[in-house]
Amino acid sequence: MRVFVTGATGFIGSAVVKELIHAGHEVVGLARSDKGAAALHAIGAEALRGSLGDHDRLRSGAAEADGVIHLAFDNTFMDVAGAITDDLHAIEAIGDTLAGSGKPFVMTSVTTMVTSLGRPATEDDQGQDGSPGLSRSTAENMAIALAERNVRSSAVRLAPCVHDTISQGFATLLAEIARQKGVSAYVGDGANHWPALHRLDAAKLYRLALESAPAGSRLHGAGEEAIPFRNIAEAIGQHLNLPVSSISPEAAEDHFGWLTPFVIMDNPTSNAWTRKRLIWEPAEPTLVADILGQ
Ligand SMILES: NC(=O)c1ccc[n+]([C@@H]2O[C@H](COP(=O)([O-])OP(=O)(O)OC[C@H]3O[C@@H](n4cnc5c(N)ncnc54)[C@H](OP(=O)(O)O)[C@@H]3O)[C@@H](O)[C@H]2O)c1
């Protein structure tokens, strides 16, 4: 397939591009800089210059492809509302272009929109009020609805820590806080759970979704389904040679700031349906192994 990939220059996108090329697909990646375009050429992809706001570029990239994978997102956390709006408009532009084509469209969502159910979330569960990632559910629902317009759309809900030994998503943010505060903390008994996903397992999941996800499916990008938060805090403390300590819920906001709702969420995430339906077998190292650099 000729695949148009947004976010192709990013941490996850660059792994997805390599995975696609390795599997025999052609890739055209969205690049908003010369550096990004050069990086894409270096790994055997073409580059389409433009940003998420260039909807004509998104439309032409989608029109000329056999399928689209959408990973671009402003992950700086400087303007989350703006990033969400840009995402919605980009999905609209790509979706309108693909409507009626039957082509695959794989978009990026988050597991953190379904938390604190008292059981592992399944792919059938929709965004829950009070969940810290709920703001991304509108984009997910918009993409899923494209199935009714003959787009083979799917949403990959990524765990908060997509990781390798260099970067670990939200766990990297936790490590920065631990360095600043001189302690790696967890709240209460730290028994709440986070899922996690290795970057290379993520890349395989996106390729498999492109190739065979059913129209309108939600997929769980969770290689590990439920890691006790305390284990993550302990690994960070061990790696940074810092003490590890429990803090009270009242002290959490002062310690973790805007990350607090994520730190205290319980986000166990079943991957059973996704693994079975796509024949996906996550096989890469665990989050704790990558934090420890093992
Ligand atoms: N990493 C994780 O642990 C994690 C966890 C959960 C969800 N996610 C989600 O996964 C997706 C990819 O994350 P990532 O970790 O790969 O992020 P990343 O390394 O920050 O990459 C973001 C990608 O989006 C591109 N981008 C950002 N704003 C853009 C804009 N306005 N126009 C065009 N391109 C733009 C970036 O281009 P440049 O190279 O030019 O900057 C880059 O290719 C995001 O939706 C993110 O929220 C990631």
Side-chain angles (χ1 to χ4, degrees):
M1 266 187 241
R2 186 173 170 82
V3 190
F4 177 47
V5 181
T6 75
T9 54
F11 176 65
I12 301 168
S14 56
V16 170
V17 171
K18 286 182 192 160
E19 169 74 23
L20 290 170
I21 290 173
H22 184 69
H25 298 291
E26 280 175 40
V27 175
V28 180
L30 185 70
R32 56 179 175 167
S33 67
D34 289 343
K35 192 177 159 209
L40 288 172
H41 291 144
I43 56 175
E46 293 173 38
L48 178 66
R49 287 298 300 271
S51 80
L52 270 185
D54 296 331
H55 294 155
D56 286 344
R57 286 297 166 93
L58 298 182
R59 285 189 199 98
S60 69
E64 288 164 22
D66 302 308
V68 179
I69 293 178
H70 173 50
L71 275 148
F73 193 85
D74 176 1
N75 267 326
T76 58
F77 303 105
M78 307 288 282
D79 176 15
V80 175
I84 299 275
T85 303
D86 290 350
D87 191 37
L88 289 174
H89 289 151
I91 291 167
E92 200 171 30
I94 294 167
D96 285 347
T97 307
L98 296 181
S101 70
K103 291 177 186 174
F105 174 37
V106 186
M107 62 81 72
T108 302
S109 186
V110 291
T111 63
T112 57
M113 71 172 66
V114 192
T115 64
S116 302
L117 294 175
R119 58 165 173 80
T122 73
E123 293 83 345
D124 287 335
D125 289 312
Q126 308 228 0
Q128 298 289 309
D129 284 344
S131 296
L134 187 65
S135 58
R136 292 186 71 166
S137 65
T138 308
E140 179 183 288
N141 292 337
M142 185 187 275
I144 294 300
L146 287 168
E148 288 160 24
R149 297 168 66 197
N150 193 21
V151 178
R152 186 162 61 75
S153 61
S154 59
V156 175
R157 288 179 175 163
L158 289 174
C161 301
V162 179
H163 58 93
D164 63 10
T165 53
I166 309 292
S167 179
Q168 294 102 34
F170 276 28
T172 298
L173 303 178
L174 293 174
E176 281 168 23
I177 293 169
R179 268 194 210 94
Q180 283 164 17
K181 304 277 182 182
V183 58
S184 180
Y186 54 91
V187 177
D189 62 5
N192 59 305
H193 301 93
W194 278 19
L197 177 63
H198 194 280
R199 177 176 177 245
L200 299 181
D201 287 324
K204 285 200 189 76
L205 177 57
Y206 275 90
R207 174 177 63 78
L208 292 169
L210 176 90
E211 292 172 348
S212 64
S217 52
R218 295 176 166 89
L219 303 163
H220 276 177
E224 292 180 89
E225 297 180 312
I227 309 164
F229 186 90
R230 181 175 176 164
N231 295 13
I232 299 171
E234 286 174 346
I236 291 169
Q238 187 180 332
H239 180 62
L240 298 178
N241 202 18
L242 290 171
V244 180
S245 130
S246 167
I247 60 173
S248 69
E250 296 72 32
E253 182 75 37
D254 187 47
H255 189 91
F256 291 108
W258 68 267
L259 214 51
T260 303
F262 294 93
V263 170
I264 62 175
M265 72 182 174
D266 192 33
N267 189 210
T269 302
S270 169
N271 61 22
W273 187 85
T274 301
R275 288 170 68 148
K276 190 171 171 202
R277 187 62 182 79
L278 298 188
I279 316 177
W280 173 59
E281 280 305 324
E284 299 295 336
T286 64
L287 173 62
V288 163
D290 275 348
I291 290 172
L292 296 174
Q294 293 169 341

